[in-house]
Amino acid sequence: MITAWTSPLMVLLCALISLSCYVTAQESCGANCPVLNFKNVAKVLLQKQRELCSPSCPSGDEKAQTDALLSKLFNPPVIYNNKRYAISKIPYSDSDEAMAYCNAFGGYLAEVDDASEYKVLQSYVLSNPDDIVLIGGTDKAKEGTWTFQRTCKSIPFLDWCSAQPDNYGDEDCLSFWKYGGGKMNDIQCNFRNSDCRFMCELPIA
């Protein structure tokens, strides 16, 4: 039976194929790969998330497609306190785009709420190859006052790399810095290079 979700699903499958090819190509050419603009893909993912929340969707097939896309976009996750934390395989153009990816899968940029959670995520970052991993946090509204973008609440736990934060070049977003011992570092919200990724905090189911 053909349903209303057929057309968006085909778009999603095309996006999945394109992303799969990009990730494969990136593994061979590394930093020489052209930077791909994922904004349109993020819009498709947000639409897909709305469909997943619709009772008219066939949940089994939809979940399988979403899980397949999740595995293409993100490294294997770590589980902590009934949440999944996943580091992206792909770059991002700015923190808003990174948040859009997380939102598309029902989550948000990872938020560190306490020392225990911090240790789990720090260990996860250190076990991955990428140097910089963007997470939830900004001091854009007031320099030196760090809050979560999602809730605007103060970040209860911060553990900075040596000599950080330094706000070098107007750095208003928060990241883990692997080569800074896996501790926190301030970063420009639109900063990106071949070793820069983002981490989502996602529901398990």
Side-chain angles (χ1 to χ4, degrees), residues 3 5 54-63:
T3 64
W5 56 272
S54 169
S56 63
C57 290
S59 59
D61 291 343
E62 291 289 311
K63 186 178 186 302

Side-chain angles (χ1 to χ4, degrees), residues 9 11 21 25 28-29 67 81 85 92 106 147 160 177 186 205:
L9 181 56
V11 174
C21 291
S28 9
C29 65
D67 287 346
N81 200 22
Y85 299 84
Y92 60 92
T147 60
W160 298 105
W177 186 17
D186 56 342

Side-chain angles (χ1 to χ4, degrees), residues 5-17 44 48 51 62 65:
W5 56 272
T6 302
S7 178
L9 181 56
M10 291 304 296
V11 174
L12 182 68
L13 288 173
C14 289
L16 175 57
I17 293 168
V44 172
K48 177 55 59 178
E51 290 179 8
E62 291 289 311
Q65 294 297 337

Side-chain angles (χ1 to χ4, degrees), residues 116-135:
S116 297
E117 184 179 28
Y118 172 72
K119 290 295 184 184
V120 170
L121 301 189
Q122 183 184 48
S123 176
Y124 180 41
V125 168
L126 291 173
S127 71
N128 276 269
D130 302 300
D131 182 23
I132 298 170
V133 179
L134 180 77
I135 59 173

Side-chain angles (χ1 to χ4, degrees), residues 1 11 24 30 32 42 70 83 92 99 121 126 155 176 180 194:
M1 181 176 68
V11 174
T24 302
N32 295 322
L70 189 68
K83 289 286 184 72
Y92 60 92
M99 183 67 87
L121 301 189
L126 291 173
I155 298 178
F176 278 104
S194 60

